[in-house]
């Protein structure tokens, strides 16, 4: 489906997915950064509140703050969770000559929470005077506080990293489902057989696309009307030409029955041959017009075996005139090879195949018609001992009036076109191959019909 192949840069679905993905990821990053910063700040403020609560606890319970007690308690606590509590001395002792856990703080520090540097580290310190008049300092390393705040903030933004990929996947799935009706609409249009040109069904198509679908349906209706006029003109012209051609044929026969010179006899024979070719062309044009206009709904169950018998009876004189061995082979004895179709369609298709085989088979050749079943399908095969059709011409021979170059056999180039038209309407598959693959000669035409489950009437 070349018409449905588009690059990602021009695909509306791809661009919509890309833009929505970009917006979601961008908003998630902004929200994640904001949430991280807010959570980080709130945890730090909570830790400041803890320092204030500890100071209130010391003041309300009149706890004694001594270096010995503080050092003993500090040695039993996890260093990362250690909180320093000490009294501010007017003249602080050096940490190296006194308690190593005592901070070297200046007594001039103002009351309140502040960040200071002491003992080669940064500390968050709360300075508060007690009711007893002693000023105490409660502190915690900023590195520990920041680690706690950072871990808490990361847990806050963790849902973003988990839910955003899931959200992106859901968005792409939803967009794909929303565009599925339009994709199916394009597939239906692309798979149409070009004969019926049925109007597109837009019941499940988004409202925004309805005007476009309505315009396509109107175009299809105009094309169908134009094709119907063409087929009607073709059928009417063929019908109108049959009467004068019949009259000319009768006149030529009457003329041939009279005494003529040898030169006049040759010209009359050429005239009769031309009239015969013209009548055959008109018959095939009428058959092609009928094949294109036939109604699918009027199909019944047809026995391919019985139709083949009728065709062979009708064309046996043509085969005898060329001394061609014409016969039929049944792969399954007693099988009627039932198909769902109109009897006249199967007859026209089979007659064209056998007629072509007889015409393109040299004098004294052989034409075999075989019927069988394979993979649940009914197969009709017509094989001849003629020149065959090369692979580069096998697709073109189904076009109307196309003839292989170098073929001198008289014909109109409509036989296989009629067969293909009927086969497409019946859902059958037509394939061409060499009848004898070893020397690549002869033509083997295989028509695979969907098998009809019911019995023939």
């Amino acid at each position: 489906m070349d018409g449905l192949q588009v690059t990602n840069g021009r695909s509306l679905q791809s661009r919509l997915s890309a833009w929505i993905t970009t917006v979601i990821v961008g908003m998630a990053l902004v929200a994640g950064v904001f949430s991280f910063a807010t959570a980080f700040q709130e945890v730090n403020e909570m830790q400041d509140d803890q320092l204030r609560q500890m100071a209130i606890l010391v003041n309300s319970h009149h706890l004694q703050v001594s270096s010995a007690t503080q050092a003993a308690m500090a040695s039993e606590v996890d260093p990362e969770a250690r909180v320093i509590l000490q009294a501010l001395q007017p003249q602080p002792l050096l940490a190296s000559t006194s308690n190593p856990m005592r901070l070297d703080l200046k007594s001039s520090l103002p009351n309140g929470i502040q960040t200071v540097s002491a003992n080669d580290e940064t500390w968050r310190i709360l300075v508060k005077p007690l009711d007893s008049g002693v000023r105490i300092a409660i502190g915690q390393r900023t590195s520990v506080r920041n680690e706690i705040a950072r871990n808490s903030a990361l847990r806050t933004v963790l849902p973003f990293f988990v839910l955003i990929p899931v959200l992106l996947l859901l968005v792409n799935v939803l967009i794909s489902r929303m565009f599925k009706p339009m994709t199916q609409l394009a597939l239906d249009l692309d798979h149409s057989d070009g004969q019926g040109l049925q109007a597109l069904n837009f019941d499940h198509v988004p409202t925004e696309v309805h005007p476009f679908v309505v315009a396509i349906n109107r175009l299809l209706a105009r094309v169908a009307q134009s094709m119907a006029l063409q087929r009607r003109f073709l059928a009417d012209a063929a019908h109108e030409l049959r009467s004068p051609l019949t009259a000319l044929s009768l006149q030529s026969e009457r003329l041939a029955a009279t005494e003529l010179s040898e030169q006049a006899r040759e010209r009359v024979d050429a005239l009769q041959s031309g009239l015969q070719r013209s009548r055959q062309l008109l018959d095939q044009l009428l058959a092609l017009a009928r094949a294109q206009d036939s109604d699918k709904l009027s199909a019944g169950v047809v026995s391919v075996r019985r139709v083949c018998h009728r065709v062979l009876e009708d064309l046996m004189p043509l085969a005898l005139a060329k001394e061609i061995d014409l016969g039929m082979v049944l792969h399954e004895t007693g099988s009627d090879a039932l198909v769902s179709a109109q009897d006249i369609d199967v007859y026209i298709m089979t007659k064209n195949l056998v007629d072509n085989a007889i015409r393109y088979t040299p004098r004294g050749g052989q034409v075999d018609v075989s019927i069988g079943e394979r993979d649940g399908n009914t197969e009709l095969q017509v094989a001849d001992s003629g020149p065959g059709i090369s692979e580069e011409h096998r697709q073109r021979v189904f076009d109307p009036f196309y003839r292989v170059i170098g073929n001198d056999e008289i014909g109109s180039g409509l036989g296989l076109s009629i067969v293909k038209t009927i086969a497409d309407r019946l859902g059958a598959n037509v394939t061409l191959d060499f009848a004898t693959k070893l020397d690549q000669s002869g033509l083997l035409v295989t028509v695979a019909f969907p098998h009809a489950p019911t019995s023939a009437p």
Side-chain angles (χ1 to χ4, degrees), residues 71-106:
M73 293 178 59
S75 62
E76 298 175 358
V77 179
D78 183 5
E80 293 185 355
R82 183 178 297 155
V83 177
I84 299 300
L85 171 62
Q86 70 180 50
L88 289 180
Q89 301 292 336
Q91 295 182 351
L93 299 174
L94 295 177
S96 59
T97 59
S98 58
N99 190 344
M101 295 303 302
R102 182 178 180 82
L103 299 180
D104 185 11
L105 300 176
K106 297 180 181 180

Side-chain angles (χ1 to χ4, degrees), residues 62 81-82 100 103 114 176 209 218 240 354 368 396:
H62 305 287
R82 183 178 297 155
L103 299 180
Q114 52 207 289
S176 178
V209 189
R218 291 174 179 171
E240 291 296 327
V354 178
D368 291 328
R396 293 292 310 279

Side-chain angles (χ1 to χ4, degrees), residues 201-398:
N201 185 3
F202 51 88
D203 293 339
H204 303 288
V205 176
T207 307
E208 292 78 6
V209 189
H210 280 193
F212 181 69
V213 179
V214 170
I216 291 181
N217 285 340
R218 291 174 179 171
L219 176 62
L220 291 177
R222 292 193 295 269
V223 172
Q225 183 179 8
S226 176
M227 293 176 62
L229 290 175
Q230 277 188 329
R231 289 194 292 265
R232 185 178 302 171
F233 172 78
L234 180 64
D236 293 343
H239 276 293
E240 291 296 327
L241 287 174
R242 292 186 72 177
S243 296
L245 279 178
T246 302
L248 288 176
S249 298
L250 292 175
Q251 294 295 332
S252 65
E253 291 175 1
R254 293 178 62 183
L255 181 61
T258 61
E259 294 182 3
L260 298 173
S261 63
E262 183 177 352
Q263 184 177 7
R265 178 69 61 183
E266 291 178 357
R267 293 182 179 180
V268 170
D269 291 341
L271 174 62
Q272 288 181 326
S273 178
L275 290 174
Q276 183 179 0
R277 290 196 301 270
S278 299
R279 292 187 65 179
Q280 181 185 358
L281 174 60
L282 288 179
D283 291 339
Q284 287 195 316
L285 286 175
L286 288 173
L288 179 60
R290 186 195 178 283
Q292 293 175 342
D293 284 336
S294 292
D295 187 5
K296 296 181 181 179
L297 300 180
S298 58
V301 179
V302 179
S303 171
V304 180
R305 180 170 61 91
R306 297 177 184 176
V307 172
C308 288
H309 278 300
R310 290 164 47 198
V311 171
L312 295 183
E313 292 174 359
D314 294 342
L315 296 180
M316 187 60 70
L318 181 61
L320 293 176
K322 295 185 66 174
E323 300 178 356
I324 291 177
D325 181 11
L326 176 63
M328 185 172 69
V329 179
L330 290 176
H331 294 308
E332 294 186 6
T333 305
S335 174
D336 278 344
L338 305 178
V339 297
S340 178
Q342 294 182 4
D343 183 83
I344 186 63
D345 285 339
V346 180
Y347 177 81
I348 293 175
M349 178 186 297
T350 307
K351 185 177 181 180
N352 275 276
L353 291 177
V354 178
D355 182 78
N356 274 1
I358 295 174
R359 291 181 182 278
Y360 290 96
T361 299
R363 180 175 295 273
Q366 182 177 351
V367 175
D368 291 328
V369 179
S370 59
I371 302 172
E373 294 186 3
R374 180 182 299 177
D375 300 330
N377 295 327
T378 299
E379 284 192 348
L380 167 65
Q381 291 185 331
V382 179
D384 61 56
S385 56
I389 299 176
S390 59
E391 294 184 3
E392 59 267 21
H393 294 288
R394 289 179 184 173
Q395 291 299 324
R396 293 292 310 279
V397 293
F398 293 114

Side-chain angles (χ1 to χ4, degrees), residues 3-196:
L4 298 180
Q5 294 177 352
V6 294
T7 59
N8 290 334
R10 298 177 60 186
S11 171
L12 178 61
Q13 179 177 344
S14 299
R15 285 188 291 174
L16 183 60
S17 298
W19 276 108
I20 292 180
T21 300
T22 302
V23 171
I24 291 177
V25 172
M27 295 299 295
L29 290 176
V30 173
V33 172
F34 179 77
S35 298
F36 181 88
T38 303
F40 189 87
Q41 182 179 0
E42 288 180 353
V43 173
N44 275 321
E45 291 178 354
M46 182 181 67
Q47 293 181 102
D48 289 344
D49 291 338
Q50 290 178 349
L51 295 180
R52 294 188 184 95
Q53 292 174 4
M54 292 178 65
I56 294 174
L57 182 63
V58 171
N59 186 43
S60 61
H61 289 77
H62 305 287
L63 299 179
Q64 297 295 325
V65 182
S66 62
S67 298
T69 303
Q70 181 271 341
M73 293 178 59
S75 62
E76 298 175 358
V77 179
D78 183 5
E80 293 185 355
R82 183 178 297 155
V83 177
I84 299 300
L85 171 62
Q86 70 180 50
L88 289 180
Q89 301 292 336
Q91 295 182 351
L93 299 174
L94 295 177
S96 59
T97 59
S98 58
N99 190 344
M101 295 303 302
R102 182 178 180 82
L103 299 180
D104 185 11
L105 300 176
K106 297 180 181 180
S107 59
S108 60
L109 289 176
N111 295 335
I113 295 180
Q114 52 207 289
T115 302
V116 298
S117 296
N119 297 8
D120 299 328
E121 291 182 303
T122 303
W123 294 77
R124 186 68 170 172
I125 300 296
L126 170 63
V127 178
K128 180 177 178 60
L130 302 179
D131 294 340
S132 60
V134 178
R135 299 178 71 228
I136 63 172
I138 303 176
Q140 188 178 19
R141 291 185 180 90
T142 56
S143 60
V144 175
R145 289 166 53 92
N146 290 339
E147 182 180 358
I148 295 174
R150 184 167 54 252
N151 292 338
S152 178
L154 288 176
R155 285 191 294 270
T156 302
V157 299
L158 182 61
F160 285 96
F161 296 101
V162 176
L163 295 179
I164 291 303
V166 177
L167 178 60
L168 294 177
L169 178 62
L170 291 177
V171 166
N172 281 276
V173 170
L174 290 175
I175 291 177
S176 178
R177 290 179 63 88
M178 292 173 61
F179 277 86
K180 187 176 180 179
M182 289 184 287
T183 304
Q184 186 62 43
L185 192 68
L187 290 174
D188 293 340
L189 182 61
D190 191 65
H191 289 162
S192 61
D193 57 6
Q195 298 294 334

